[in-house]
Amino acid sequence: MTKISSIEVYQIDIPIKEGKYNWSHGNSVSVFDSTIVKINTDKKISGLGEVCTLGSSYLPAYSEGVRTGINKIGKALIGLDPTDLSMINSVMDINLKGHNYVKSPIDMACWDILGKCTNQSVWKILGGKFGKNVRLYRAISQEDPATMSKKVKEYKQEGYTKFQLKVGGDPNEDIERIKLVRSILDKSDVLVADANTGWLMHEALRVIKATEYLDVYYEQPCASYEECLSIRNKTYNPFILDESIDSINTFLRAFHDDAMDIINIKISKLGGITKSKLLRDLCVELGIAMTIEDSWGGDIATAAIAHLAHSTQEKFCFSSTDFNSYNSFNYANGSPQRDKGCFSASDKPGLGVSVDEKLMPVPEFEIK
């Protein structure tokens, strides 16, 4: 039996290539604070995990909380078998109620170890690889409509065919954003207007009624589930829920309420790959398509996203994303690289990534 011998925790800063990333409620980040976890074992096999929260005012998660939480639960994991994923998750849940984002990089690192111990890629353990690659969406940071339209044109040249506009601001500008961008896209291109909870109900209705004649998906228009459901019942366009889906239970409620056509699965929001797989498989069984991603991340998080997305049947994988291409700092080898708007999961054992030791800081702390 393999046993966890130590847990190393690193903090790294990840700047954005474009200088700044903006979305609803005036949120903006230029440098992301990411936490990398390295789990070492007595068999000299190590696993990597990462979580990168989208600031501190997007979801109930923040970067400093990741490291504090790991310091709280880490000791209870020493000596456990990292390939016994059910036990690992049970012990984490017993020692820390909630705070799924804290548990995500630990669970991710354990999947990496499981793959290495069995000489299998994570996608293989998750159910197999579907298709040659996974088509990605490109998130367009919230700016004036003309600037956002210009960026969409540039990303189309790079091969993207799916675009997620960050709306949820002034309704008049959002209407212009959606109309302008849709007008420059091909019929086969996908456009998602993602409000990230930014509209009040009357604002959401204004924007939707002014643009619903276009081929556009609407994502998480309002803050609460009940508000989103109310808006959902007033439009016939495809509807996506993201922030409201934070557990299996909330998904089941939304499914029975016919509250959405697509959901976003963010790995850290659910607590790691283990519970994300559970929700993924449930969506497949119930016929719900998914965007498979995370809140943000670097090379390790992007690798985990790729394995979960690539092991999902193509018709159920609405889209995914390659966060490492948004960043100006890459710290690992083997992470998926975008090619004409697509990426693919590594065929190497585990997640298939290794950190560049020259680029890594010393651990912030180590638990033994």
Side-chain angles (χ1 to χ4, degrees):
M1 182 179 75
T2 304
K3 294 183 180 180
I4 296 175
S5 57
S6 67
I7 302 172
E8 299 174 30
V9 178
Y10 300 80
Q11 186 278 328
I12 61 170
D13 290 329
I14 302 179
I16 301 298
K17 283 181 181 177
E18 293 185 352
K20 192 164 57 172
Y21 183 75
N22 310 309
W23 67 104
S24 64
H25 301 296
N27 284 308
S28 179
V29 176
S30 57
V31 179
F32 287 90
D33 180 337
S34 190
T35 299
I36 293 175
V37 169
K38 182 181 180 183
I39 294 180
N40 301 306
T41 70
D42 61 344
K43 303 295 185 183
K44 307 302 180 184
I45 295 175
S46 298
L48 297 169
E50 180 185 17
V51 64
C52 184
T53 64
L54 198 57
S56 59
S57 57
Y58 168 56
L59 292 172
Y62 66 106
S63 54
E64 294 88 348
V66 176
R67 297 182 287 274
T68 300
I70 292 173
N71 207 15
K72 179 73 174 177
I73 64 177
K75 201 69 176 177
L77 301 173
I78 301 300
L80 297 184
D81 183 352
T83 67
D84 190 347
L85 294 162
S86 294
M87 178 60 72
I88 292 292
N89 278 274
S90 177
V91 170
M92 288 196 291
D93 289 342
I94 288 170
N95 283 274
L96 182 64
K97 187 176 180 63
H99 300 280
N100 289 338
Y101 66 105
V102 170
K103 304 164 187 175
S104 183
I106 294 174
D107 177 80
M108 193 181 293
C110 288
W111 275 89
D112 192 22
I113 292 171
L114 175 61
K116 292 173 180 176
C117 284
T118 59
N119 198 33
Q120 298 180 91
S121 297
V122 167
W123 62 257
K124 184 73 171 180
I125 308 171
L126 286 169
K129 185 181 282 188
F130 292 89
K132 181 180 179 181
N133 50 37
V134 176
R135 189 154 292 282
L136 306 166
Y137 77 81
R138 189 72 189 191
I140 308 300
S141 174
Q142 189 179 110
E143 297 180 73
D144 66 88
T147 300
M148 294 177 77
S149 177
K150 179 183 177 183
K151 288 184 176 180
V152 168
K153 289 180 181 179
E154 292 170 352
Y155 287 122
K156 270 183 65 65
Q157 293 299 314
E158 294 182 12
Y160 287 99
T161 59
K162 298 184 178 185
F163 300 93
Q164 186 191 79
L165 284 189
K166 293 303 178 182
V167 290
D170 175 79
N172 293 321
E173 286 195 344
D174 285 336
I175 291 169
E176 187 179 354
R177 288 176 176 116
I178 294 168
K179 288 182 176 180
L180 185 57
V181 170
R182 185 68 258 185
S183 72
I184 66 171
L185 295 178
D186 298 329
K187 288 183 178 180
S188 58
D189 292 336
V190 173
L191 178 63
V192 177
D194 182 12
N196 287 119
T197 77
W199 292 319
L200 298 177
M201 286 194 291
H202 75 93
E203 295 172 325
L205 280 174
R206 274 196 64 208
V207 177
I208 288 173
K209 291 305 176 184
T211 58
E212 65 182 350
Y213 68 93
L214 299 169
D215 182 6
V216 58
Y217 293 72
Y218 299 109
E219 181 171 333
Q220 193 73 36
C222 304
S224 74
Y225 170 76
E226 290 76 15
E227 289 169 320
C228 288
L229 180 60
S230 176
I231 301 302
R232 155 72 163 179
N233 291 332
K234 295 179 175 71
T235 181
Y236 294 100
N237 288 51
F239 206 83
I240 304 172
L241 285 181
D242 179 359
E243 289 85 354
S244 291
I245 306 298
D246 57 6
S247 68
I248 302 294
N249 285 338
T250 55
F251 166 75
L252 289 173
R253 178 189 178 191
F255 174 77
H256 287 296
D257 287 344
D258 191 25
M260 76 283 159
D261 304 293
I262 299 169
I263 68 165
N264 276 17
I265 291 181
K266 286 182 165 67
I267 292 174
S268 62
K269 188 168 61 174
L270 293 164
I273 296 175
T274 300
K275 292 177 182 177
S276 296
K277 177 186 183 299
L278 179 61
L279 180 53
R280 188 274 307 269
D281 293 345
L282 184 57
C283 284
V284 170
E285 181 67 22
L286 295 176
I288 300 295
M290 298 153 276
T291 292
I292 295 176
E293 58 173 355
D294 210 329
S295 297
W296 202 269
D299 293 312
I300 298 169
T302 299
I305 292 167
H307 283 280
L308 186 61
H310 216 154
S311 63
T312 302
Q313 295 179 48
E314 291 175 274
K315 66 180 180 180
F316 292 107
C317 188
F318 176 66
S319 67
S320 190
T321 195
D322 57 328
F323 285 125
N324 59 351
S325 76
Y326 293 69
N327 305 328
S328 61
F329 174 64
N330 300 104
Y331 56 81
N333 302 309
S335 186
Q337 300 298 308
R338 182 190 72 239
D339 181 21
K340 298 179 181 179
C342 301
F343 70 2
S344 59
S346 171
D347 292 330
K348 294 181 179 179
L351 293 175
V353 294
S354 59
V355 297
D356 186 336
E357 300 292 347
K358 296 178 181 178
L359 298 177
M360 293 296 292
V362 297
E364 191 162 293
F365 59 89
E366 183 175 5
I367 303 168
K368 296 182 178 181

